[in-house]
Amino acid sequence: MQKEDLKVLNKGEEDEMELQAYRLCRWRLAVVGVGVLCTGGFLLLLLYWMPEWCVKSTCTRTTAREAQVVLLQSTDEFRRWFLAKVRVMLAPGRSPFHSLETQTTSPTSTSSTSPNVANGHTPHPSGGSSDQELIRRYADYQPTQIRYFTLHSTKYYWNDEVQNFEVLTGLEDLQVSCSTLHSEHSAGLTRNQQEYRRLFFGVNEIAVKVPSVFKLLIKEVLNPFYIFQLFSVILWSADEYYYYAMAIVFMSVISIATSLYTIKKQYVMLHDMVAAHSIVRVSVCRANNEIEEVMSTDLVPGDVMVIPSNGTIMPCDSVLISGTCIVNESMLTGESVPVTKTNLPNPAQGGKGAEQDGVYNTEEHKRHTLFCGTHVIQTRFYTGELVKAVVVCTGFSTAKGQLVRSILYPKPTDFKLYRDAYLFLLCLVAVAGIGFVYSIVLSIMNEVPAKTIIIESLDIITITVPPALPAAMTAGIVYAQRRLKRIGIFCISPQRINICGQLNLVCFDKTGTLTEDGLDLWGVQRVENGSFHLSEENAYKEALVKSQFVACMATCHSLTKIEGELSGDPLDLKMFEATGWILEEATEEETSLHNRIMPTVVKPPKQLLPPEPVTSPEQDMELYELSSAYEIGIVRQFPFSSALQRMCVVARLLGEKRMDAYLKGAPEVVASLCKKETVPEDFAEVLEDYTKQGFRVIALAHRRLESKLTWHKVQNISRDHIETNMDFLGLIVMQNKLKAETPAVLQDLHRANIRTVMVTGDNMLTAISVARDCGMIPPQDTVIIADALPPRDGQSAKITWRYADKPSKTPRLEEVTISLEDVCDVDEPKSQEHYHFAMSGKSYAVITEHFPDMLQKLVLHGTVFARMAPDQKTQLIEELQGVDYFVGMCGDGANDCGALKRAHGGISLSELEASVASPFTSRTPNISCVPSLIREGRAALITSFCVFKFMALYSIIQYISVTLLYSILSNLGDFQFLFIDIAIILLIVFTMSLNPAWKELVPRHPPSGLISGPLLFSVLTQILICLGFQTVAFLWVRHQPWYHVWTPHSDACNLSSHNMSELNSTELDDHNIQNYENTSLFYVSSFQYLIVAIVFSKGKPFRQPSYKNYPFVLSALSLYFFLFFIMLHPVDAIDEFLEIVCVPFEWRIKLFLVILVNAFVSVLVEAGIEPWWGKCLSWLCCKRKMAPKARYMHLAQELSVDPDWPPKPTTTTEAKPRPENGSAYQIMMNS
């Protein structure tokens, strides 16, 4: 059959995959079955580890439409394989949105006709109907076969139109417009429709299934390493090495049990976090205007939910179509500030054309969307009208579901250390292969029995690949995790601790991370008759109480009262408190008395109002009170939109006929919506002056609305009609203070050659000012702002370069941002003043699209990225990773979730559930956790290197001993192996990992991989030293005058230990363990393990010195003492247990000298490697002009010789149509 092209699933998304379709082939299955039997099940294991081999060996290619099995491969850098079985479901229609009006059947019964409906999620049947009834109900239509498969908790359905599998997410699949949501989806579904849709969308729950211990055990045990251990244990048992086999089994059981406990605990924690409040009872509107109570698990997209007035936890994503809600979204955003959600505007009702009627999108209309897992605190409603929301997504398609999926199925962490570890193991396997061949040849030459040849040659492999390696490697990480926990940093992805040791760039959010969370009012600057007044400290004045400026401050906010307490955005709260006014909300009882929602009312305190004239007693008291009251009712609220950068309210003063519109927002935006004559001429200078000083500036504006705008018309008018032709009122100046710890921490990072970048949603000049204040940009450095404009009116896109402010002093002539460590300093191209780029989110988007080859140059020196949207923050992290930076991200969780997850090391300063997305969460709400994490990461990384080097040497030392002994058909004894592996290796490995991190961050970075010059050189020299000294001992003992081939009656010590000889003579030594060579090598090799442990246990500059690691020092000294004791003063019981033979005292002294010289040479060589290697490397670099490895260093080198870089302040860069080769932009001088 002809091969079909690859299908691509989730095109352009993060989880994009290529799909190949297969169908089962019987003869191939039979062949594989025979192969499995012949290999004793090993082939089955191999196919389990390699899903692509499994599919290709048992199936044949087919079209995607007829697939029985699909093979999927991710398109990211990891290229992972997945395998899924295609299932078939019977349903009354092809699409969940087909109308079932013509059918009277209840499609729930399909669940009974197909055993594998919805992957085991059988919808709740409505009553147990008999088979006859099923046949009768389904006689009207022909059931349709629907093909689907499930992968990572997502169902992919076959779509005939696009000839591909697609995910059904919910109502958004229909591309519904806002008016259609109101007209066609606001009535609700019939019970039949709901049950039919549930066939496709499944049960509405985010099911985190906690796997059974048995399932986890099977998955854990089938790990290639444990299979290798099982092979080793069987082999040792066949060779009667029972004790060692039992010890390894014991270690493996403990390791598996610990692993199972950790995995199970994480699943249970996630399950509990998700399950809390996920199943609730909800009221839904049926198509016949009935309200019915159902379980939240029954909800499907299109259902209309009634939100209870006392609030609820949302069980799905839905869009409000009537009423308003106050919601706590901390689960998603990390900010526990309540947010007001308003109903989705209905363009059809407002009498506007189709141009206003956009397609509903959760991201665009998030101010009207209630997300799953968020807490609705309270609702407000019109009398007789309920607060209703249309269900948009359910289950794993919701925002919360996506978050849980990203935790359940994370991307693997790609780190050089782990790739190098596998390469290293392969090298060990190659060494083992040489030993394997050597032992076979030697045994055949000596005519050894076949069984012994097989066992001994395979034994070499088990010696070379150490069984305790995984446990040893994770020890350092576990200790680091424990130390981090002690300083209040919690970690959900321990493997990332090592990666944090490599961080050389950290991105910081500004508000709440570098600066205090709240803003304080610094002052106000009012505008009258088109010019600024002098700035005033506050607006709490009798003279201003009835001014439009104060009215705007008092009304233009989204504050609400929750249990009598004012709550909402901290900025709104500070602004409202500064007026001293009082906010009153209508109670539910009051609302129910009126035909419409009662407005929120604000009024000044009595002491601020001017005294009223004395009235005559005959005046009607009530009328007087009404006339003297000064109250403003908020009639309509257009909530703050980060896209529009403003919010607006329509309010009415008590007793006034006409209404007023008040607007607040970003000064540039507000000024553009005001009449020209009302904006002061010096507006730009005043604004720039404030922002340069680091103040947050908000502008206010006002407009009297036409009298024809009634209350009902205002409810349906679009904000564009109101936010125009406004009068500029003035500026509110807020101060955002730096956190006390910020400057010192940033200074530490700079000293350690770690670059810092600010990524914020705030104003550009404010961000630059904060960057200067905290030391991110030194005072003498230049800041170049890149203003990019998209193509317009036939003109191409262009970037205008302007310098933010001139450096205060003569610039330093040096480059600091990029440390070109491994680059030769000869022929320095040009001295470069230190400069920083700053750009806004809009410019970033234009540069990404039209100047892609310039983007890397800009991120190389980009320090301030302002007004960045959440997805742009993630893109920036990816761009920085693209030039080989190891990127850290520190944010307070609010809009940083994506960036925190994408960075190599993301640290959330928020303890809320949003921190689940971040690998690290700090309990201390400031950035002092960043250097602590990097220090611990570096210590853990160096520990991993030390342990790996030690474990490699341990296996090679043992390999050398066994290979030398094989030459005389001897081996190490069972208890000798046991003593070396348990008493020496495990004790040393688990204590050498205990070195804490060094006190401060140093400018040097640790190596990122095992395959680096100094590291390999260190391992190779130590191997050669150990080989040399073992060979010396092995050959020297045979040249001793007292030497002869050992027999149970030998007595080289001249000791009359008659009983001992008799005892030995009764036991025949089958394996020829006891001999002089074995004893000599056992002593020398035992000391070698301890020597390399001490030599490799590096302290400064990344870890505390080893002598401060008391458990390690105690273990090493105890072992030294014990070994010297048994070597110089034999103890019969110990000698017998370890199968050591007695040798003359002078030979013991000679061995002692061999060991001393070995230790001296090892220490000397290791101490000389780093300085010698450094000199050698710099000489080589200068000789060859070697290019640096990291791409950002390479770029820095190129830019240092580019005469046009950085761009001059008088230039504009224009995008050109991209040529075949060369640059895609051109720099032009402004005339």
Side-chain angles (χ1 to χ4, degrees), residues 719-764:
R719 66 191 295 171
D720 300 349
H721 278 95
I722 287 176
E723 296 171 345
T724 178
N725 279 333
M726 305 201 81
D727 295 336
F728 192 77
L729 291 178
L731 305 171
I732 294 177
V733 185
M734 315 286 276
Q735 195 174 21
N736 192 194
K737 291 179 186 149
L738 274 180
K739 285 186 178 174
E741 302 80 7
T742 300
V745 169
L746 292 177
Q747 202 177 352
D748 281 354
L749 294 173
H750 280 295
R751 245 185 260 124
N753 267 346
I754 294 169
R755 207 181 127 192
T756 51
V757 170
M758 186 191 294
V759 192
T760 175
D762 206 346
N763 168 291
M764 163 90 75

Short mmCIF file of all heavy atoms in Angstrom, two decimals, residues 719-764:
data_model
loop_
_atom_site.label_atom_id
_atom_site.label_comp_id
_atom_site.label_asym_id
_atom_site.label_seq_id
_atom_site.Cartn_x
_atom_site.Cartn_y
_atom_site.Cartn_z
N ARG A 719 -18.74 51.00 24.62
CA ARG A 719 -17.87 51.97 25.31
C ARG A 719 -17.26 52.97 24.33
O ARG A 719 -16.92 54.08 24.72
CB ARG A 719 -16.82 51.25 26.16
CG ARG A 719 -15.78 50.45 25.46
CD ARG A 719 -14.99 49.58 26.44
NE ARG A 719 -14.20 50.34 27.38
CZ ARG A 719 -13.56 49.82 28.44
NH1 ARG A 719 -13.64 48.52 28.68
NH2 ARG A 719 -12.86 50.56 29.25
N ASP A 720 -17.14 52.59 23.05
CA ASP A 720 -16.55 53.52 22.06
C ASP A 720 -17.39 54.79 21.92
O ASP A 720 -16.85 55.86 21.63
CB ASP A 720 -16.45 52.84 20.68
CG ASP A 720 -15.56 51.61 20.73
OD1 ASP A 720 -14.89 51.44 21.77
OD2 ASP A 720 -15.56 50.82 19.78
N HIS A 721 -18.74 54.66 22.09
CA HIS A 721 -19.61 55.83 21.97
C HIS A 721 -19.39 56.80 23.12
O HIS A 721 -19.62 58.00 22.99
CB HIS A 721 -21.09 55.41 21.95
CG HIS A 721 -21.52 54.96 20.60
ND1 HIS A 721 -21.53 53.65 20.23
CD2 HIS A 721 -21.95 55.68 19.51
CE1 HIS A 721 -21.96 53.56 18.98
NE2 HIS A 721 -22.22 54.77 18.52
N ILE A 722 -18.99 56.24 24.28
CA ILE A 722 -18.86 57.08 25.48
C ILE A 722 -17.44 57.64 25.60
O ILE A 722 -17.25 58.80 25.92
CB ILE A 722 -19.24 56.24 26.72
CG1 ILE A 722 -20.76 56.06 26.70
CG2 ILE A 722 -18.77 56.89 28.00
CD1 ILE A 722 -21.30 55.19 27.78
N GLU A 723 -16.43 56.79 25.28
CA GLU A 723 -15.03 57.20 25.48
C GLU A 723 -14.53 58.03 24.30
O GLU A 723 -13.62 57.64 23.59
CB GLU A 723 -14.16 55.96 25.67
CG GLU A 723 -14.52 55.18 26.93
CD GLU A 723 -13.81 53.84 27.01
OE1 GLU A 723 -13.28 53.38 25.99
OE2 GLU A 723 -13.80 53.24 28.10
N THR A 724 -15.13 59.19 24.12
CA THR A 724 -14.69 60.06 23.03
C THR A 724 -15.04 61.51 23.38
O THR A 724 -15.96 61.75 24.17
CB THR A 724 -15.35 59.64 21.69
OG1 THR A 724 -14.94 60.53 20.68
CG2 THR A 724 -16.85 59.63 21.75
N ASN A 725 -14.31 62.48 22.81
CA ASN A 725 -14.57 63.92 23.07
C ASN A 725 -14.63 64.25 24.55
O ASN A 725 -15.53 64.96 25.00
CB ASN A 725 -15.89 64.34 22.41
CG ASN A 725 -15.67 64.61 20.94
OD1 ASN A 725 -14.56 64.97 20.53
ND2 ASN A 725 -16.70 64.42 20.15
N MET A 726 -13.70 63.73 25.32
CA MET A 726 -13.75 63.94 26.77
C MET A 726 -12.94 65.17 27.16
O MET A 726 -12.13 65.68 26.38
CB MET A 726 -13.25 62.70 27.49
CG MET A 726 -14.00 61.45 27.05
SD MET A 726 -13.92 60.09 28.20
CE MET A 726 -15.13 60.47 29.39
N ASP A 727 -13.18 65.64 28.38
CA ASP A 727 -12.40 66.77 28.91
C ASP A 727 -11.32 66.19 29.82
O ASP A 727 -11.62 65.40 30.73
CB ASP A 727 -13.30 67.69 29.75
CG ASP A 727 -14.37 68.35 28.88
OD1 ASP A 727 -14.12 68.47 27.67
OD2 ASP A 727 -15.43 68.71 29.41
N PHE A 728 -10.08 66.63 29.59
CA PHE A 728 -8.96 66.12 30.39
C PHE A 728 -9.01 66.76 31.77
O PHE A 728 -9.11 67.98 31.89
CB PHE A 728 -7.65 66.47 29.67
CG PHE A 728 -6.45 65.76 30.23
CD1 PHE A 728 -6.22 64.42 29.94
CD2 PHE A 728 -5.56 66.42 31.07
CE1 PHE A 728 -5.11 63.76 30.45
CE2 PHE A 728 -4.46 65.76 31.59
CZ PHE A 728 -4.23 64.42 31.28
N LEU A 729 -8.97 65.94 32.82
CA LEU A 729 -9.11 66.46 34.19
C LEU A 729 -7.77 66.61 34.91
O LEU A 729 -7.65 67.43 35.82
CB LEU A 729 -10.00 65.52 35.02
CG LEU A 729 -11.49 65.47 34.66
CD1 LEU A 729 -12.19 64.48 35.55
CD2 LEU A 729 -12.14 66.84 34.81
N GLY A 730 -6.79 65.75 34.58
CA GLY A 730 -5.52 65.86 35.28
C GLY A 730 -4.89 64.51 35.53
O GLY A 730 -5.31 63.49 34.96
N LEU A 731 -3.87 64.48 36.39
CA LEU A 731 -3.09 63.25 36.65
C LEU A 731 -3.12 62.89 38.12
O LEU A 731 -3.13 63.76 39.00
CB LEU A 731 -1.63 63.47 36.24
CG LEU A 731 -1.35 63.94 34.81
CD1 LEU A 731 0.12 64.31 34.66
CD2 LEU A 731 -1.74 62.87 33.81
N ILE A 732 -3.15 61.58 38.35
CA ILE A 732 -2.94 61.07 39.72
C ILE A 732 -1.55 60.44 39.71
O ILE A 732 -1.25 59.63 38.82
CB ILE A 732 -3.99 59.99 40.08
CG1 ILE A 732 -5.37 60.61 40.14
CG2 ILE A 732 -3.65 59.32 41.39
CD1 ILE A 732 -6.46 59.61 40.42
N VAL A 733 -0.72 60.81 40.65
CA VAL A 733 0.66 60.31 40.68
C VAL A 733 0.81 59.33 41.84
O VAL A 733 0.59 59.69 43.00
CB VAL A 733 1.67 61.48 40.81
CG1 VAL A 733 3.10 60.95 40.72
CG2 VAL A 733 1.42 62.54 39.74
N MET A 734 1.13 58.08 41.49
CA MET A 734 1.28 57.04 42.52
C MET A 734 2.74 56.64 42.61
O MET A 734 3.46 56.64 41.60
CB MET A 734 0.46 55.78 42.17
CG MET A 734 -0.93 56.01 41.70
SD MET A 734 -2.07 56.47 42.99
CE MET A 734 -2.56 54.93 43.68
N GLN A 735 3.16 56.27 43.79
CA GLN A 735 4.54 55.87 44.00
C GLN A 735 4.62 54.37 44.24
O GLN A 735 3.87 53.83 45.04
CB GLN A 735 5.09 56.61 45.21
CG GLN A 735 6.59 56.57 45.32
CD GLN A 735 7.07 57.45 46.47
OE1 GLN A 735 6.31 57.76 47.37
NE2 GLN A 735 8.31 57.88 46.42
N ASN A 736 5.53 53.71 43.53
CA ASN A 736 5.71 52.26 43.70
C ASN A 736 7.10 52.06 44.30
O ASN A 736 8.10 52.14 43.61
CB ASN A 736 5.60 51.59 42.34
CG ASN A 736 5.47 50.09 42.41
OD1 ASN A 736 5.63 49.41 41.43
ND2 ASN A 736 5.20 49.55 43.58
N LYS A 737 7.15 51.80 45.61
CA LYS A 737 8.45 51.73 46.30
C LYS A 737 9.17 50.42 46.00
O LYS A 737 8.54 49.37 45.91
CB LYS A 737 8.25 51.86 47.80
CG LYS A 737 7.80 53.24 48.23
CD LYS A 737 7.58 53.29 49.74
CE LYS A 737 6.99 54.64 50.14
NZ LYS A 737 6.12 54.53 51.30
N LEU A 738 10.50 50.50 45.91
CA LEU A 738 11.32 49.29 45.75
C LEU A 738 11.29 48.50 47.05
O LEU A 738 11.26 49.08 48.13
CB LEU A 738 12.78 49.68 45.49
CG LEU A 738 13.24 49.97 44.07
CD1 LEU A 738 14.71 50.32 44.10
CD2 LEU A 738 13.02 48.79 43.15
N LYS A 739 11.32 47.19 46.95
CA LYS A 739 11.44 46.37 48.16
C LYS A 739 12.85 46.56 48.71
O LYS A 739 13.81 46.70 47.93
CB LYS A 739 11.20 44.89 47.83
CG LYS A 739 9.74 44.58 47.60
CD LYS A 739 9.51 43.10 47.41
CE LYS A 739 8.02 42.81 47.21
NZ LYS A 739 7.76 41.43 46.89
N ALA A 740 13.00 46.54 50.02
CA ALA A 740 14.28 46.83 50.66
C ALA A 740 15.40 45.91 50.17
O ALA A 740 16.55 46.33 50.02
CB ALA A 740 14.12 46.71 52.17
N GLU A 741 15.07 44.65 49.87
CA GLU A 741 16.12 43.67 49.52
C GLU A 741 16.57 43.77 48.05
O GLU A 741 17.61 43.23 47.69
CB GLU A 741 15.61 42.23 49.74
CG GLU A 741 15.14 41.91 51.13
CD GLU A 741 13.73 42.41 51.42
OE1 GLU A 741 13.04 42.91 50.50
OE2 GLU A 741 13.34 42.32 52.59
N THR A 742 15.75 44.42 47.21
CA THR A 742 15.99 44.36 45.76
C THR A 742 17.39 44.82 45.32
O THR A 742 18.09 44.06 44.67
CB THR A 742 14.90 45.15 45.02
OG1 THR A 742 13.64 44.55 45.33
CG2 THR A 742 15.09 45.11 43.52
N PRO A 743 17.86 46.05 45.68
CA PRO A 743 19.16 46.49 45.14
C PRO A 743 20.31 45.56 45.52
O PRO A 743 21.16 45.25 44.67
CB PRO A 743 19.34 47.89 45.75
CG PRO A 743 17.97 48.33 46.13
CD PRO A 743 17.23 47.10 46.51
N ALA A 744 20.34 45.10 46.77
CA ALA A 744 21.45 44.25 47.23
C ALA A 744 21.48 42.92 46.46
O ALA A 744 22.54 42.44 46.06
CB ALA A 744 21.32 44.00 48.73
N VAL A 745 20.28 42.34 46.24
CA VAL A 745 20.22 41.04 45.53
C VAL A 745 20.70 41.21 44.09
O VAL A 745 21.48 40.40 43.59
CB VAL A 745 18.78 40.47 45.57
CG1 VAL A 745 18.65 39.28 44.63
CG2 VAL A 745 18.40 40.07 46.99
N LEU A 746 20.24 42.28 43.43
CA LEU A 746 20.65 42.51 42.03
C LEU A 746 22.16 42.76 41.94
O LEU A 746 22.81 42.31 41.00
CB LEU A 746 19.88 43.69 41.43
CG LEU A 746 18.38 43.45 41.23
CD1 LEU A 746 17.70 44.69 40.69
CD2 LEU A 746 18.12 42.29 40.28
N GLN A 747 22.71 43.43 42.95
CA GLN A 747 24.16 43.66 42.98
C GLN A 747 24.91 42.33 43.10
O GLN A 747 25.91 42.11 42.41
CB GLN A 747 24.49 44.56 44.18
CG GLN A 747 25.81 45.29 44.02
CD GLN A 747 26.06 46.22 45.20
OE1 GLN A 747 25.20 46.43 46.05
NE2 GLN A 747 27.26 46.76 45.27
N ASP A 748 24.38 41.43 43.95
CA ASP A 748 24.98 40.08 44.10
C ASP A 748 24.99 39.35 42.76
O ASP A 748 25.98 38.73 42.38
CB ASP A 748 24.17 39.23 45.10
CG ASP A 748 24.50 39.60 46.54
OD1 ASP A 748 25.43 40.41 46.73
OD2 ASP A 748 23.83 39.09 47.45
N LEU A 749 23.87 39.43 42.04
CA LEU A 749 23.76 38.73 40.76
C LEU A 749 24.72 39.33 39.73
O LEU A 749 25.35 38.61 38.97
CB LEU A 749 22.31 38.78 40.24
CG LEU A 749 21.28 38.02 41.07
CD1 LEU A 749 19.86 38.27 40.56
CD2 LEU A 749 21.54 36.53 41.06
N HIS A 750 24.84 40.66 39.71
CA HIS A 750 25.77 41.31 38.77
C HIS A 750 27.20 40.89 39.05
O HIS A 750 27.97 40.63 38.15
CB HIS A 750 25.64 42.84 38.84
CG HIS A 750 24.47 43.37 38.08
ND1 HIS A 750 24.39 43.27 36.71
CD2 HIS A 750 23.33 43.97 38.48
CE1 HIS A 750 23.24 43.80 36.30
NE2 HIS A 750 22.58 44.22 37.36
N ARG A 751 27.53 40.84 40.36
CA ARG A 751 28.88 40.45 40.75
C ARG A 751 29.19 39.02 40.29
O ARG A 751 30.32 38.68 40.00
CB ARG A 751 29.03 40.54 42.27
CG ARG A 751 30.04 41.60 42.66
CD ARG A 751 30.30 41.61 44.16
NE ARG A 751 29.57 42.67 44.80
CZ ARG A 751 28.72 42.50 45.82
NH1 ARG A 751 28.50 41.29 46.29
NH2 ARG A 751 28.10 43.50 46.35
N ALA A 752 28.14 38.20 40.24
CA ALA A 752 28.33 36.79 39.86
C ALA A 752 28.19 36.58 38.36
O ALA A 752 28.02 35.46 37.90
CB ALA A 752 27.30 35.94 40.61
N ASN A 753 28.24 37.68 37.58
CA ASN A 753 28.13 37.60 36.11
C ASN A 753 26.80 37.02 35.66
O ASN A 753 26.73 36.32 34.66
CB ASN A 753 29.26 36.74 35.53
CG ASN A 753 30.44 37.60 35.13
OD1 ASN A 753 30.31 38.81 35.03
ND2 ASN A 753 31.58 36.97 34.90
N ILE A 754 25.75 37.28 36.42
CA ILE A 754 24.41 36.81 36.04
C ILE A 754 23.62 38.04 35.57
O ILE A 754 23.46 39.00 36.33
CB ILE A 754 23.71 36.09 37.22
CG1 ILE A 754 24.48 34.81 37.56
CG2 ILE A 754 22.26 35.77 36.89
CD1 ILE A 754 24.07 34.16 38.85
N ARG A 755 23.17 37.98 34.33
CA ARG A 755 22.48 39.12 33.73
C ARG A 755 21.07 39.24 34.30
O ARG A 755 20.43 38.22 34.57
CB ARG A 755 22.41 38.91 32.22
CG ARG A 755 22.34 40.19 31.44
CD ARG A 755 22.25 39.89 29.97
NE ARG A 755 21.11 40.59 29.41
CZ ARG A 755 20.61 40.37 28.23
NH1 ARG A 755 21.14 39.45 27.46
NH2 ARG A 755 19.58 41.05 27.79
N THR A 756 20.58 40.46 34.47
CA THR A 756 19.21 40.65 34.97
C THR A 756 18.41 41.45 33.95
O THR A 756 18.92 42.37 33.31
CB THR A 756 19.22 41.40 36.33
OG1 THR A 756 20.02 42.58 36.18
CG2 THR A 756 19.79 40.54 37.42
N VAL A 757 17.15 41.04 33.81
CA VAL A 757 16.25 41.66 32.82
C VAL A 757 14.91 41.93 33.50
O VAL A 757 14.46 41.13 34.32
CB VAL A 757 16.05 40.70 31.61
CG1 VAL A 757 14.94 41.18 30.69
CG2 VAL A 757 17.35 40.54 30.83
N MET A 758 14.28 43.06 33.16
CA MET A 758 12.96 43.36 33.73
C MET A 758 11.89 43.14 32.66
O MET A 758 11.99 43.66 31.55
CB MET A 758 12.91 44.80 34.21
CG MET A 758 11.62 45.13 34.95
SD MET A 758 11.44 46.90 35.23
CE MET A 758 12.78 47.24 36.34
N VAL A 759 10.88 42.35 33.02
CA VAL A 759 9.76 42.09 32.10
C VAL A 759 8.50 42.48 32.84
O VAL A 759 8.12 41.83 33.82
CB VAL A 759 9.68 40.58 31.75
CG1 VAL A 759 8.74 40.36 30.59
CG2 VAL A 759 11.03 40.01 31.41
N THR A 760 7.86 43.56 32.42
CA THR A 760 6.73 44.07 33.20
C THR A 760 5.57 44.49 32.31
O THR A 760 5.74 44.70 31.11
CB THR A 760 7.20 45.28 34.05
OG1 THR A 760 6.09 45.86 34.72
CG2 THR A 760 7.87 46.34 33.20
N GLY A 761 4.42 44.61 32.92
CA GLY A 761 3.24 45.09 32.19
C GLY A 761 3.07 46.59 32.36
O GLY A 761 2.14 47.20 31.87
N ASP A 762 4.03 47.23 33.09
CA ASP A 762 3.92 48.65 33.42
C ASP A 762 4.47 49.54 32.30
O ASP A 762 5.05 49.07 31.34
CB ASP A 762 4.67 48.91 34.72
CG ASP A 762 4.12 50.13 35.46
OD1 ASP A 762 3.37 50.90 34.84
OD2 ASP A 762 4.43 50.30 36.65
N ASN A 763 4.32 50.85 32.51
CA ASN A 763 4.78 51.87 31.57
C ASN A 763 6.29 51.80 31.35
O ASN A 763 7.05 51.47 32.25
CB ASN A 763 4.37 53.23 32.16
CG ASN A 763 4.99 54.40 31.47
OD1 ASN A 763 6.18 54.61 31.57
ND2 ASN A 763 4.18 55.16 30.79
N MET A 764 6.72 52.12 30.13
CA MET A 764 8.14 52.01 29.75
C MET A 764 9.06 52.89 30.61
O MET A 764 10.02 52.41 31.19
CB MET A 764 8.27 52.40 28.28
CG MET A 764 9.67 52.71 27.85
SD MET A 764 10.50 51.28 27.29
CE MET A 764 9.73 51.10 25.70
#
